[in-house]
Amino acid sequence: MKNTSQKVGLITATSLVVGNMIGAGIYVLPSALAAYGSVSIVGWILSALGAIVLAKVFGNFSKIIVNKSGGPYIYTKEGFGDFIAFLVAWGYWICIWVGNAALVIAILSALNFFFPVLETNKIIAVLIGLGFIWGLSWINSRGVKSSGRIQVVTTIFKLLPLLLIILLGCFFFKLENFPAFNITGNSNMVTIPMVATLTLYAFLGMESATIPAEDIKTPEKIVPKATMLGTLITTLVYILGTIILFGILPIEEIQNSTAPFATAAEYIGGGAAGYFVAAGAAIAAIGALNGWILISGQIPMASARDQLFPRVFRKENKRGAPAVGIFIGSVLTSLVMLLNFSEKLADQFEFLVLLTTLTCLIPYLFTTASYALVLVENKYNLDKRIRGMVLAALGFSFSFWGIIGSGEKSVFYGLLLLLLGIPFYILMKYNKKKRNE
């Protein structure tokens, strides 16, 4: 039984969702979207609708499976059993520690605005990157409350610059700056899926509150609220922020800017405002790294309890934190970061995002399918079953579409990582059988 004093409430759980979804990517993503025109707003809306459907599925599942940590892993296990659940946990765990390396790169890229030496001096960049990984790992090892405080503070400070630009930008909005609907030269049918896929990565993490469910007060009430509320807040920030940005700056300037929100802030309030937004981008990535380090110990812990991961991952310290799992995940993140430091920061980030996208989407696919199976197996009333099945079908379709749209390389690397987990699964099942004999 978890220590009640260590459990967190709605504000912290919502901050975990918002904080894990909003990293530094939103501060630079409009530059890529500007090449498509205002059709990118449609892409945001489509991705947001899919994310809201998935958030509803995860929220509903948290009411069926109450007070169990593990999120996608535990939900998939309910419908499909050990093997598929293991693949979800394996892929998701890899997604986390590889994705955390991408977040470290994003932090360094944001800090490069203040300290250009980080782009040229790899030793200083590595030391600062490792400092963030291990400093936040230490905070997370002190329990979910300590991590939660950091998450709430960083979420507030990452949202503040974006909200100020959205509010103040209304006074600088010029309709003539707004780009044409589709400037790619391709048809809308070709372009809309492209921009929706591009925006999809920004919504990964809406399930974050379901993963440490045992550390949340009355999880059957708070987890679904935090999941939906966090997804809606993030959606509004993404869409409104992009619309305002398109109305403040000419499309060519957005395309050529490495930090379009900072450029817009300078236009609104001068150089100091630009620095304020650039600091927000760094804080956004720091907050996301903190939240995902928290998650990095939870997924393998849930799997280890079912003897599908090594027993060492089950260990919790006196504060109820899976400190060993956090430590192992952070070692792996550090290695991924070090292995990629021969490339430019932007190139590293792009590769790591490519590597993690599929391994995050597959858990969504199986969770929605598992939700449909659970609805069939349990004797719910017909109306609830029909609504649930429609929801599951929409979530499954969106996840499948996201996997297809993530590109051949993403599918290749993602499936390769999953296949590498099969020998590990066979070994764990063999060990489990030997222990039970």
Side-chain angles (χ1 to χ4, degrees):
M1 182 66 70
K2 288 281 185 178
N3 185 350
T4 306
S5 64
Q6 276 290 322
K7 292 192 175 186
V8 299
L10 180 61
I11 292 175
T12 301
T14 304
S15 296
L16 182 62
V17 176
V18 175
N20 281 11
M21 291 174 76
I22 301 180
I26 181 56
Y27 284 88
V28 297
L29 191 54
S31 294
L33 293 174
Y36 297 91
S38 58
V39 67
S40 56
I41 305 298
V42 177
W44 274 124
I45 293 171
L46 288 175
S47 293
L49 290 173
I52 290 168
V53 168
L54 290 172
K56 183 64 175 172
V57 171
F58 277 101
N60 287 355
F61 234 145
S62 70
K63 297 175 186 177
I64 296 171
I65 302 177
V66 179
N67 206 30
K68 282 189 176 182
S69 294
Y73 162 74
I74 205 75
Y75 299 159
T76 301
K77 188 173 185 291
E78 188 72 12
F80 290 102
D82 283 355
F83 178 62
I84 299 299
F86 167 81
L87 290 181
V88 165
W90 171 264
Y92 197 87
W93 180 59
I94 292 173
C95 165
I96 293 168
W97 51 261
V98 174
N100 283 351
L103 285 170
V104 175
I105 303 304
I107 293 170
L108 295 172
S109 295
L111 291 177
N112 188 46
F113 188 87
F114 301 94
F115 311 106
V117 68
L118 294 176
E119 185 67 44
T120 56
N121 193 316
K122 300 299 183 185
I123 294 176
I124 294 175
V126 164
L127 291 175
I128 292 175
L130 291 173
F132 277 112
I133 293 170
W134 291 103
L136 292 172
S137 297
W138 176 78
I139 289 170
N140 276 275
S141 71
R142 294 180 59 80
V144 70
K145 269 210 164 178
S146 296
S147 175
R149 292 189 190 102
I150 298 295
Q151 198 68 2
V152 171
V153 171
T154 54
T155 298
I156 291 170
F157 280 100
K158 76 169 66 177
L159 287 176
L160 194 57
L162 294 170
L163 293 175
L164 284 175
I165 286 180
I166 290 170
L167 294 172
L168 296 178
C170 293
F171 299 100
F172 294 85
F173 191 94
K174 295 179 181 178
L175 196 57
E176 57 266 30
N177 284 336
F178 215 75
F181 184 72
N182 185 350
I183 60 176
T184 63
N186 297 318
S187 69
N188 293 337
M189 292 297 291
V190 171
T191 306
I192 289 174
M194 290 172 65
V195 292
T197 302
L198 191 61
T199 58
L200 177 62
Y201 178 77
F203 285 99
L204 300 180
M206 91 284 291
E207 73 286 357
S208 296
T210 69
I211 296 171
E214 293 174 34
D215 296 295
I216 296 174
K217 300 171 185 175
T218 56
E220 69 277 10
K221 295 180 181 179
I222 287 180
V223 169
K225 286 181 182 177
T227 302
M228 186 56 69
L229 184 58
T231 303
L232 291 174
I233 290 171
T234 303
T235 296
L236 288 173
V237 169
Y238 285 164
I239 295 175
L240 293 177
T242 304
I243 290 172
I244 291 295
L245 200 63
F246 280 176
I248 295 176
L249 300 174
I251 195 69
E252 296 81 11
E253 193 168 351
I254 297 174
Q255 284 181 268
N256 295 323
S257 175
T258 57
F261 275 103
T263 304
E266 288 178 345
Y267 179 77
I268 293 170
Y275 278 99
F276 177 64
V277 171
I283 293 170
I286 292 168
L289 179 62
N290 175 68
W292 283 109
I293 287 175
L294 167 67
I295 301 300
S296 71
Q298 297 284 339
I299 286 287
M301 180 175 69
S303 303
R305 287 173 176 172
D306 295 326
Q307 301 181 53
L308 296 179
F309 262 56
R311 282 182 290 178
V312 68
F313 284 100
R314 286 190 305 188
K315 291 184 178 180
E316 297 178 81
N317 60 20
K318 61 182 179 180
R319 294 177 181 268
V324 175
I326 290 171
F327 173 81
I328 293 171
S330 293
V331 167
L332 293 168
T333 295
S334 300
L335 290 173
V336 172
M337 185 195 73
L338 291 170
L339 288 172
N340 279 275
F341 253 95
S342 59
E343 303 292 336
K344 291 182 178 180
L345 292 176
D347 294 335
Q348 296 170 53
F349 185 80
E350 183 180 350
F351 172 75
L352 295 176
V353 166
L354 178 70
L355 195 60
T356 59
T357 299
L358 186 76
T359 47
C360 285
L361 287 171
I362 283 179
Y364 297 165
L365 189 78
F366 283 116
T367 296
T368 52
S370 180
Y371 181 59
L373 291 175
V374 170
L375 288 173
V376 170
E377 291 170 1
N378 288 275
K379 295 181 179 180
Y380 296 114
N381 64 58
L382 183 61
D383 181 57
K384 186 172 182 178
R385 282 190 184 186
I386 291 173
R387 285 187 284 110
M389 293 298 284
V390 170
L391 192 68
L394 289 172
F396 184 91
S397 300
F398 175 74
S399 303
F400 186 76
W401 175 70
I403 290 170
I404 298 301
S406 62
E408 292 179 5
K409 286 185 178 179
S410 180
V411 172
F412 172 77
Y413 285 120
L415 290 178
L416 180 62
L417 289 173
L418 291 179
L419 289 174
L420 289 174
I422 294 176
F424 188 74
Y425 171 78
I426 294 170
L427 178 62
M428 294 308 302
K429 292 294 283 187
Y430 174 77
N431 289 338
K432 181 179 180 179
K433 182 180 178 181
K434 294 290 289 183
R435 284 196 295 268
N436 294 336
E437 285 178 352

